[in-house]
Amino acid sequence: MGHREDLLEGAKRCLLEKGYGRTTARDIVAASGTNLASIGYHYGSKDALLQQAFLALTEEWGDRVGPAGTGEEGRALPAEPYARFHTVWEQVIAAAGASRPLWKLQTEIVTRLDDDEKLREAIKEPQREGRLGMAEGFLGLDPEADPEKARVAGLLCQALATGVMIQWMVDPDTAPSADDLTAGLKVLMGEGD
């Protein structure tokens, strides 16, 4: 790995361990084994590097919990919508414990957006792309074939993911399971018992 990749990996570790606001350039240098000048040379600024590291972490999370068309260990997800929904949420919830540092970081990032326009701008487009990725991976929708359907479904998936993870952070004992979410969806659709 070169300095650019080392910096990115070091920044990701720092974000998960210290958070966005508490990570310094010196922390990143120590975690990456590089030097301060490398940050400016490769990323322009510490904030630009942290933004890239945050986006990389969220993309990696998406790849771990439900890449498009496949479930855990590459097995095909069920085609039936409720079964697919249930399987994907099992994967997301199974990763809740390991995902806690990332969700803590995401919560911190959201609280900074009113005061950091550059950060807000940096995450807008990746957030839109993430929604479409969730529509594809979670529900099997092709964003190119039906962009509006994928957009609104992605909005719902993103809202659910955020809400579910916050519930898991607050109280894992009463947070929803995949069974709960699937049963709730069926009730909303008028199909529940």
Side-chain angles (χ1 to χ4, degrees), residues 95-113:
S99 300
R100 188 178 183 86
L102 176 62
W103 285 96
K104 182 178 174 185
L105 174 63
Q106 287 197 16
T107 304
E108 179 190 355
I109 295 286
V110 168
T111 65
R112 301 178 75 79
L113 295 179

Side-chain angles (χ1 to χ4, degrees), residues 4 8 15 28 48-49 62 75-76 78 80 83 93 95 131 133-134 146-147 152 167 180 183 190 192:
R4 182 175 179 78
L8 187 62
L15 283 173
I28 297 168
L49 169 56
R75 72 177 194 266
E80 192 276 319
I93 291 166
R131 288 177 190 144
M134 289 177 118
D146 196 339
V152 297
Q167 290 180 66
D180 295 331

Side-chain angles (χ1 to χ4, degrees), residues 51-69:
Q51 290 164 12
Q52 287 299 307
F54 171 68
L55 295 174
L57 286 167
T58 57
E59 187 174 316
E60 290 167 7
W61 175 85
D63 289 345
R64 273 193 315 274
V65 300

Side-chain angles (χ1 to χ4, degrees), residues 61 66 89 92 103 129-141 153-154 157-159 161-162:
W61 175 85
W89 283 102
V92 171
W103 285 96
E129 291 171 10
R131 288 177 190 144
L132 296 178
M134 289 177 118
E136 186 173 18
F138 285 27
L139 304 172
L141 299 174
C157 289
Q158 194 173 54
T162 302

